Amino acid sequence: MKKLFRTLRSMRFGILLLVLIALCSVVGTVIPQGREIRWYAQNYPSFHGTILLLRLHRVFESWYFITLLVLLCLNLSLCSLIRIRNVVRAAHGETERAAGLPDTVFLNPEGMEKLRGYLEEKRCRSEKLGEITVYRRHGFGRYGSFITHLSILLTVVFGALALYTPVVTDQNCMPGESIFMSDGTEIHVQDFHITDETGRLDYQSHIQVTLPNGRRSEIAELRVNHPFSFGPYKVFQQSFGTAGSVTVTNIATGGKDDFVLTEQSALSADGITGIVYEMLYPDYIRDPSGNVTFITVTEGSYPNPIYQFEVISDGTFTPTLAEPGDELELAGLRFRFNTPVEFPGLRIKQVSQLFNALLIASFTLMIAGLYITFFYEPVLVKTDAKGYAVGGPKPEHMRIELGEAFRDYEQNAEEETT
Amino acid sequence: MKALFFAAFAIYGAAVILEFTGTAFKKDRLLKAAWYVFLAAFAVHLVFIVARGIAAKRLPLSNQFEFANTFAWGVALMLIVMRPRLRTDWLSVVAMPATLLVMTYAALQPMEIKDLMPALRSAWFGVHIGSAVLSYAAFVIAGCIGLRYLLSVKKGSADERALAQMDYISYRMVAFGFLFLTVVILSGAIWAEQAWSAFWTWDPKEVWALITWIIYAVYLHLRLRMKRKGKVMAWFLVIAVPIVFFTFAGVNTLMHGMHTYG
């Protein structure tokens, strides 16, 4: 049991876990993830069985990858606990221990004088123990490694919570309409446009959220990178689309109906005569002989949209085209083809703001921990009349720094140190 | 404006030739000239970056060309900052060609200025990509020092003190790069949550940034906790550089993901 515990908390085991996580990650990027099983059979005919058996098509959700992450958390927890215990223990009596160090570098009197001045200039606190003076600085630096490891652990835990606990809904919504969530929350989309007035891609809408208790948000601007949070909901600009828009007027009564069309639809009063909306194309080219070539893909708003539909009359279907603004009269109905409607696809996330806040706090802690570890290293220098020695948990930086700065004052350093 | 880029490219090339010639024939004057030519290239390069930023009305970091171009500038900047601190010029002979190598990659990319796509219009843009430039540049310089270490050991041209200094400086560069790579990953996560609604999506670029992070985390553990130094660690740094390049360029070229911006 002790051996298992020792293994679980060892750094070698931690490194092994990191290497295995890295290897799994490589596989997860080389083999496309999350496709249909048929796709793997077609593209990897010789070893798709192995892919499926080892779940290489869903590496990041596989039992072994999650096991590695859990073991890493365990390793980090144990490692952090042991580390903080050792660091706190080592901090006690450190000055006395440093005072007992034998000199490793010997300087001439001028060098020693300059060394003291140098260390004081670096704002080291000095402590006199008889003939010996111990200079120290950045004592807090010893906790950098602990803070870093703790923050990685917190990041993995809160990251998993922030990633897997939200309830996510993707839904398109026409401007002027609302999305109703299962708890009764209403998300109303006031307007949406793909490009701004200069023609630059923008994907901007204005939305308003009303919670079941009647609490209503102000009208908020929603764009990519600018989600809107209200109550437990966070709304994101996720996707977009363009739909056909047709107004049908009963010529006799003057009654009107507006239709927003995203798929094939029949519009008729009697079910016999009318139109069947087929498609809306972003752009087209008409050659001199009148033939039309449709352009099916465009970036941004449709520059030159055209409706494709069929007129049904006397049992015959006649393919027809119309531009926005065109009108058509059929069996007492007037069909007016309007400017297409741009609509947003919203991602609505029911999130715990607490998990997000804790995760971001863990991020901040990690950056602080790394900074303290690498750039706020504890300094502990023992000096006496003849020379100095560098002690503490991370002596290398100071050894090199002082070695470079006082090289010219060294006295028989080679012989003395050997 | 392209002329400025190619001028910087050509001057970097001249600096590399002078550096190699000076090193091969042990001519100090040539080495000195190489350094001044390199500084001139750096200045022209900086002018190009500023001019491009003004023309694009944003930070010039949005596509493969702009990133590679700034990355090369970052490597040059690191060399310029490090050289006087090291009080030695042994770094130049490997870092100058590294700068030129990244510039060559940039030169092979489409250079036209494009409007920033909505997903990139964020306050995190500069932090995330700027940190990536600093981080990758530091790793490249660490790799250069590792290479120089190995060459020095092979030739027996450096004393123990110089080798210890190289070893230590390469570790410091990794520490610096690691801190900034962490900033890249974490700022990217916060940005991803705002833009794509999730902190982490296992996108190939994210995963390779994590792999790079793990590789350097292993290096730091070996160096700091297991006290490994010398040749093995120098080899580690040299071998890690192609992985950094793959994360930066290979992923965008060979893998499709949400970071494929051009």
Side-chain angles (χ1 to χ4, degrees):
Chain A
M1 196 65 190
K2 262 188 176 177
K3 202 176 172 189
L4 178 73
F5 180 72
R6 220 178 298 143
T7 307
L8 277 176
R9 71 173 167 81
S10 73
M11 197 186 62
R12 280 173 201 275
F13 184 60
I15 289 179
L16 175 72
L17 289 173
L18 284 174
V19 171
L20 289 174
I21 289 170
L23 287 175
C24 289
S25 302
V26 171
V27 174
T29 56
V30 172
I31 297 172
Q33 299 290 291
R35 304 271 174 100
E36 280 181 25
I37 290 170
R38 198 175 41 195
W39 187 90
Y40 296 97
Q42 282 166 355
N43 290 276
Y44 303 100
S46 50
F47 60 98
H48 76 276
T50 315
I51 291 178
L52 299 179
L53 183 71
L54 300 176
R55 293 194 62 77
L56 301 180
H57 64 309
R58 288 186 184 276
V59 169
F60 304 114
E61 299 158 21
S62 64
W63 63 267
Y64 54 85
F65 191 77
I66 291 167
T67 306
L68 287 174
L69 290 180
V70 170
L71 285 173
L72 183 71
C73 285
L74 200 60
N75 177 266
L76 281 168
S77 313
L78 295 171
C79 185
S80 301
L81 283 174
I82 304 289
R83 192 184 297 260
I84 191 66
R85 194 187 63 186
N86 292 344
V87 167
V88 170
R89 271 186 193 166
H92 288 295
E94 201 172 49
T95 311
E96 288 72 19
R97 276 201 303 280
L101 289 173
D103 287 342
T104 50
V105 182
F106 295 88
L107 302 181
N108 61 28
E110 189 195 351
M112 282 312 298
E113 194 57 40
K114 291 211 166 174
L115 172 69
R116 286 186 201 101
Y118 184 85
L119 292 169
E120 275 158 23
E121 219 172 78
K122 290 232 161 206
R123 294 185 192 167
C124 291
R125 277 183 295 148
S126 61
E127 205 171 319
K128 267 199 167 300
L129 297 162
E131 295 291 298
I132 291 165
T133 309
V134 176
Y135 291 87
R136 54 192 307 166
R137 189 170 73 129
H138 293 174
F140 189 68
R142 76 185 74 248
Y143 301 105
S145 179
F146 168 72
I147 294 170
T148 305
H149 285 82
L150 180 70
S151 67
I152 295 171
L153 176 66
L154 295 176
T155 298
V156 175
V157 173
F158 294 132
L161 289 170
L163 218 58
Y164 298 114
T165 56
V167 181
V168 179
T169 313
D170 288 337
Q171 208 163 324
N172 293 335
C173 186
M174 294 300 157
E177 294 182 3
S178 296
I179 296 168
F180 291 93
M181 306 305 292
S182 56
D183 66 353
T185 298
E186 180 189 359
I187 298 163
H188 179 74
V189 176
Q190 204 172 60
D191 56 35
F192 174 74
H193 61 243
I194 294 173
T195 50
D196 64 13
E197 59 281 359
T198 64
R200 198 166 88 135
L201 289 172
D202 197 27
Y203 311 117
Q204 189 195 85
S205 56
H206 288 93
I207 65 164
Q208 189 171 40
V209 180
T210 310
L211 298 177
N213 61 11
R215 220 177 110 217
R216 181 171 287 184
S217 75
E218 57 189 41
I219 294 171
E221 191 182 277
L222 188 72
R223 278 186 292 142
V224 182
N225 279 317
H226 296 87
F228 176 63
S229 293
F230 191 70
Y233 290 99
K234 197 164 184 180
V235 187
F236 298 82
Q237 167 53 44
Q238 182 72 13
S239 61
F240 65 96
T242 305
S245 165
V246 178
T247 304
V248 185
T249 310
N250 187 319
I251 298 168
T253 63
K256 268 185 193 178
D257 263 325
D258 289 319
F259 295 92
V260 176
L261 307 163
T262 51
E263 55 192 23
Q264 193 185 52
S265 325
L267 301 175
S268 166
D270 55 10
I272 298 168
T273 307
I275 65 166
V276 177
Y277 166 84
E278 296 281 356
M279 182 73 93
L280 175 74
Y281 291 100
D283 201 354
Y284 66 97
I285 300 164
R286 197 188 293 269
D287 67 18
S289 56
N291 294 323
V292 170
T293 308
F294 298 113
I295 294 166
T296 54
V297 181
T298 188
E299 195 182 53
S301 295
Y302 286 8
N304 193 22
I306 189 160
Y307 287 89
Q308 186 188 33
F309 59 98
E310 294 193 71
V311 174
I312 316 167
S313 181
D314 302 329
T316 57
F317 287 67
T318 314
T320 313
L321 299 173
E323 291 176 0
D326 287 352
E327 287 185 351
L328 175 78
E329 285 186 15
L330 264 175
L333 296 177
R334 183 184 300 122
F335 297 88
R336 181 183 162 80
F337 297 90
N338 303 314
T339 304
V341 177
E342 296 175 342
F343 62 91
L346 303 181
R347 170 159 291 183
I348 303 146
K349 242 174 104 176
Q350 227 173 331
V351 289
S352 162
Q353 301 290 3
L354 178 71
F355 291 155
N356 283 10
L358 288 171
L359 181 61
I360 290 168
S362 310
F363 288 176
T364 315
L365 196 65
M366 201 190 301
I367 301 292
L370 285 171
Y371 178 80
I372 293 166
T373 304
F374 298 127
F375 303 102
Y376 199 79
E377 292 178 327
V379 172
L380 202 66
V381 183
K382 167 243 167 177
T383 63
D384 55 26
K386 291 183 284 182
Y388 70 87
V390 182
K394 284 184 178 175
E396 193 179 8
H397 179 70
M398 212 52 193
R399 258 182 215 150
I400 289 186
E401 187 179 322
L402 296 181
E404 282 297 308
F406 296 95
R407 202 176 198 164
D408 300 339
Y409 304 98
E410 283 181 20
Q411 237 183 8
N412 301 325
E414 296 298 322
E415 290 85 338
E416 296 288 357
T417 45
T418 42
Chain B
M1 198 191 308
K2 276 184 188 175
L4 268 176
F5 172 80
F6 284 108
F9 185 56
I11 307 170
Y12 277 130
V16 170
I17 291 166
L18 285 170
E19 181 71 26
F20 279 169
T21 318
T23 307
F25 296 103
K26 294 193 171 106
K27 298 276 183 199
D28 281 347
R29 287 179 70 180
L30 279 180
L31 291 175
K32 214 170 191 179
W35 181 244
Y36 288 117
V37 171
F38 187 79
L39 289 178
F42 178 79
V44 175
H45 198 175
L46 177 61
V47 172
F48 169 70
I49 290 172
V50 172
R52 186 163 174 109
I54 292 168
K57 293 177 188 150
R58 55 173 167 75
L59 287 173
L61 293 168
S62 83
N63 55 29
Q64 279 287 290
F65 166 72
E66 291 180 349
F67 185 85
N69 175 59
T70 316
F71 177 15
W73 184 82
V75 176
L77 176 70
M78 293 271 173
L79 172 59
I80 290 167
V81 171
M82 293 306 294
R83 205 177 115 126
R85 297 188 79 177
L86 294 169
R87 278 183 270 169
T88 172
D89 61 353
W90 50 255
L91 187 55
S92 308
V93 75
V94 275
M96 281 186 191
T99 308
L100 191 67
L101 182 74
V102 186
M103 280 294 271
T104 308
Y105 175 76
L108 297 171
Q109 304 303 312
M111 290 187 196
E112 73 271 22
I113 294 174
K114 282 187 178 170
D115 195 14
L116 212 54
M117 58 188 289
L120 295 178
R121 286 179 220 146
S122 164
W124 291 104
F125 178 65
V127 178
H128 181 63
I129 307 174
S131 301
V133 167
L134 291 175
S135 157
Y136 292 177
F139 291 147
V140 169
I141 291 288
C144 290
I145 300 172
L147 185 63
R148 180 69 207 198
Y149 184 99
L150 293 171
L151 290 172
S152 303
V153 169
K154 198 177 175 192
K155 284 186 189 167
S157 58
D159 60 19
E160 278 300 315
R161 202 166 190 156
L163 288 176
Q165 192 197 30
M166 283 187 213
D167 188 86
Y168 179 70
I169 297 290
S170 59
Y171 148 66
R172 295 295 285 181
M173 292 311 294
V174 170
F176 179 84
F178 189 75
L179 174 65
F180 277 92
L181 183 60
T182 309
V183 173
V184 173
I185 295 173
L186 301 186
S187 63
I190 297 171
W191 187 2
E193 203 274 335
Q194 287 182 359
W196 304 328
S197 75
F199 286 101
W200 193 261
T201 55
W202 297 108
D203 178 67
K205 194 83 168 178
E206 290 175 352
V207 175
W208 275 93
L210 179 67
I211 291 168
T212 310
W213 189 87
I214 288 175
I215 286 166
Y216 283 102
V218 170
Y219 169 89
L220 289 167
H221 279 87
L222 292 174
R223 180 73 172 60
L224 288 175
R225 308 295 301 177
M226 290 181 155
K227 311 289 179 200
R228 293 273 168 84
K229 291 180 185 180
K231 266 171 83 172
V232 177
M233 301 311 282
W235 271 113
F236 194 118
L237 294 177
V238 173
I239 292 167
V241 170
I243 295 165
V244 172
F245 273 96
F246 185 79
T247 303
F248 145 60
V251 173
N252 290 51
T253 315
L254 303 172
M255 294 169 177
H256 185 74
M258 294 167 94
H259 281 80
T260 315
Y261 293 126

